[in-house]
């Protein structure tokens, strides 16, 4: 009898373990709900892809979410639905999210001075502008550099990136001069790691990725073991759509406030004047860039851009986008390998926006 009881108990434990495992596995593959694609959307997207091909734009994937449901998705070329895609600077929005969470947990503040986090890595002589640089200045790409530091591609593995950043000349008063600066985002990653004791990818895992049912992603690191912050994150198209939907819902997901609504509002609104990466404000006119034609002149938030149609986006080199369209209750996620990012956005405004 005793043996039978022990066998029965063992079987029950095995059954419970299997159930637990199945629940975990099912949670990991939960996607956004789908509905049948409306005919108008199918027709519009055929036009989108035909024009992209005519313009030699290598689009890898597009996913459109309307009212919380996927109404269209397509993968082609190098795009595969189950394979993470390089995001380039879309990574920045995830780093800014980590900053907002760390602030909400009382671990840091927007007004904290950057030098306060790294007293052992400061140059022997510190300018007043360097001393004045804050977390907010890093978030808005206005830390005061006249040119972006160039050491990110250095083969010198002994070079400490934080030390090199702090040694770079701060020519302008922080908060007054916009310069797209991926190493500034790296500094945000380094600060989050300093105050939380976790790499950004680990810090976000339980707070963001797991609740969204996103497998813990790969994120590149500096030689010092700090996530690169401004680039180097890999996610699937569906993951991008989920992040966009979370931002559209002001940080709320399944009844849980994953990101403070106030932080989403600050991230996504215009904080400073902006210009296309690699272009200076005084060059805009000569390059034919105006408020009417350029989506890079609509203003910059906290590691996010405003767009001409009144929406906001995360974007990355070669045409990676999370576009949030609040007045249409919609999200558009795109991966690609495209040279002309403005041309790609024009395709979105001309072909997708009208049918939302």
């Amino acid at each position: 009898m005793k043996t039978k009881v022990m066998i029965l108990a063992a079987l029950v434990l095995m059954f419970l373990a299997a159930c637990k495992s199945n629940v975990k596995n099912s949670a990991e593959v939960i996607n956004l709900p789908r509905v049948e694609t409306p005919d108008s959307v199918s027709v519009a997207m055929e036009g989108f892809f035909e024009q992209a091909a005519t313009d030699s734009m290598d689009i890898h994937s597009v996913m459109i979410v309307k009212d919380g449901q996927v109404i269209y998705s397509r993968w082609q070329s190098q795009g595969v639905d189950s394979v993470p895609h390089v995001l380039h600077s879309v990574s920045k929005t995830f780093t800014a999210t980590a900053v907002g969470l760390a602030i909400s947990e009382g671990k840091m503040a927007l007004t904290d001075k950057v030098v306060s986090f790294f007293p052992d890595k400061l140059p022997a002589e510190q300018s007043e502008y360097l001393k004045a640089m804050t977390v907010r200045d890093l978030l808005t790409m206005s830390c005061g550099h006249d040119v972006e530091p160039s050491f990110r591609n250095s083969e010198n593995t002994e070079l400490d990136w934080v030390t090199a950043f702090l040694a770079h000349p701060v020519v302008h008063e922080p908060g007054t001069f916009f310069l797209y600066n991926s190493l500034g985002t790296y500094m945000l990653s380094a600060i989050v790691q300093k105050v939380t004791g976790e790499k950004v990818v680990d810090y976000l895992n339980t707070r963001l990725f797991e609740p969204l049912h996103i497998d813990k992603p790969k994120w590149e690191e500096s030689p010092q073991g700090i996530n690169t912050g401004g680039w180097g994150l890999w996610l699937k198209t569906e993951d991008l759509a989920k992040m966009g939907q979370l931002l559209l819902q002001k940080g709320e997901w399944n009844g849980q406030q994953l990101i403070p609504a106030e932080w989403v509002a600050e991230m996504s609104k215009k904080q400073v004047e902006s210009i296309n990466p690699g272009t200076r404000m005084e060059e805009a006119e000569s390059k034919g860039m105006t408020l009417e034609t350029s989506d890079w002149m609509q203003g910059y938030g906290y590691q996010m851009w405003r767009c001409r149609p009144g929406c906001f986006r995360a974007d990355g080199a070669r045409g990676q986008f999370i576009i949030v369209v609040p007045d249409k209750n919609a999200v558009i996620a795109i991966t690609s390998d495209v040279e002309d990012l403005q041309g790609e956005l024009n395709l979105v405004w001309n072909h997708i926006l009208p049918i939302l």
Side-chain angles (χ1 to χ4, degrees):
M1 183 67 179
K2 183 177 181 181
T3 301
K4 289 182 178 180
V5 171
M6 291 176 66
I7 292 174
L8 179 61
L11 289 172
V12 170
L13 289 173
M14 290 172 63
F15 174 77
L16 292 175
C19 290
K20 183 177 180 181
S21 176
N22 287 336
V23 169
K24 180 180 179 182
N25 291 336
S26 65
E28 291 174 351
V29 296
I30 290 177
N31 290 327
L32 294 166
R34 263 70 170 166
V35 296
E36 185 176 351
T37 300
D39 291 341
S40 60
V41 175
S42 297
V43 171
M45 293 311 297
E46 285 302 316
F48 174 93
F49 280 101
E50 286 174 5
Q51 188 62 55
T54 299
D55 296 340
S56 299
M57 293 187 183
D58 185 10
I59 306 295
H60 294 171
S61 69
V62 177
M63 180 174 285
I64 304 173
V65 184
K66 171 74 172 171
D67 299 327
Q69 298 175 312
V70 177
I71 63 170
Y72 180 88
S73 60
R74 173 171 166 174
W75 288 262
Q76 63 174 26
S77 182
Q78 299 176 46
V80 180
D81 59 351
S82 60
V83 177
H85 196 285
V86 63
L87 302 187
H88 298 300
S89 287
V90 170
S91 310
K92 292 178 170 67
T93 297
F94 289 86
T95 300
T97 299
V99 171
L101 291 172
I103 289 174
S104 71
E105 294 173 5
K107 299 181 184 297
M108 57 189 290
L110 278 174
T111 53
D112 284 345
K113 300 294 192 292
V114 175
V115 295
S116 69
F117 297 103
F118 309 103
D120 57 330
K121 297 187 177 184
L122 297 174
E125 295 185 10
Q126 304 157 41
S127 69
E128 292 305 310
Y129 284 167
L130 174 60
K131 294 177 182 178
M133 187 192 303
T134 66
V135 168
R136 184 182 186 277
D137 298 326
L138 295 177
L139 285 165
T140 58
M141 298 289 186
S142 56
C143 67
H145 291 168
D146 192 67
V147 294
E148 183 183 6
S150 59
F151 56 80
R152 60 183 277 189
N153 295 318
S154 173
E155 296 182 359
N156 180 8
T157 58
E158 301 299 318
L159 178 69
D160 186 292
W161 288 14
V162 170
T163 300
F165 181 93
L166 294 171
H168 194 74
V170 185
V171 177
H172 305 277
E173 180 183 358
T176 66
F177 182 81
F178 179 86
L179 178 77
Y180 197 75
N181 195 329
S182 292
L183 272 304
T185 314
Y186 170 75
M187 291 296 290
L188 292 171
S189 176
I191 290 170
V192 169
Q193 185 164 326
K194 186 71 177 288
V195 301
T196 67
E198 296 181 272
K199 296 175 184 178
V200 167
V201 71
D202 296 324
Y203 181 68
L204 287 178
N205 195 45
T206 56
R207 294 165 174 81
L208 183 73
F209 298 133
E210 286 184 358
L212 294 182
H213 302 285
I214 295 174
D215 289 338
K216 185 179 177 181
K218 179 181 77 173
W219 201 327
E220 296 171 18
E221 300 178 1
S222 69
Q224 290 72 49
I226 298 170
N227 289 136
T228 47
W231 68 96
L233 179 62
W234 295 68
L235 288 173
K236 298 188 288 291
T237 308
E238 180 110 16
D239 302 333
L240 299 182
K242 288 178 179 178
M243 183 61 174
Q245 187 65 27
L246 176 66
L247 295 172
L248 177 64
Q249 294 170 180
K250 301 178 181 179
E252 187 271 335
W253 192 266
N254 290 337
Q256 183 181 1
Q257 197 70 40
L258 301 184
I259 310 171
E262 298 81 4
W263 186 253
V264 175
E266 291 299 304
M267 285 176 65
S268 59
K269 79 177 186 181
K270 178 180 178 180
Q271 298 282 351
V272 295
E273 299 292 340
S274 60
I275 192 69
N276 191 52
T279 302
R280 301 176 75 89
M281 289 288 190
E282 60 270 22
E283 298 173 335
E285 185 176 352
S286 65
K287 292 188 175 184
M289 299 174 64
T290 67
L291 287 171
E292 291 71 32
T293 62
S294 173
D295 281 295
W296 278 267
M297 296 185 69
Q298 307 306 308
Y300 196 72
Y302 292 162
Q303 309 286 292
M304 297 196 78
W305 300 85
R306 295 295 304 178
C307 307
R308 283 177 295 163
C311 47
F312 60 93
R313 74 186 189 279
D315 74 21
R318 313 302 301 179
Q320 326 313 316
F321 292 109
I322 303 173
I323 302 171
V324 181
V325 192
D327 66 342
K328 305 292 186 181
N329 199 31
V331 172
I332 306 164
I334 304 177
T335 63
S336 62
D337 185 12
V338 169
E339 190 77 34
D340 181 10
L341 271 65
Q342 184 61 72
E344 186 176 357
L345 284 172
N346 290 343
L347 281 182
V348 174
W349 309 147
N350 294 334
H351 291 270
I352 301 180
L353 200 62
I355 49 89
L356 291 179

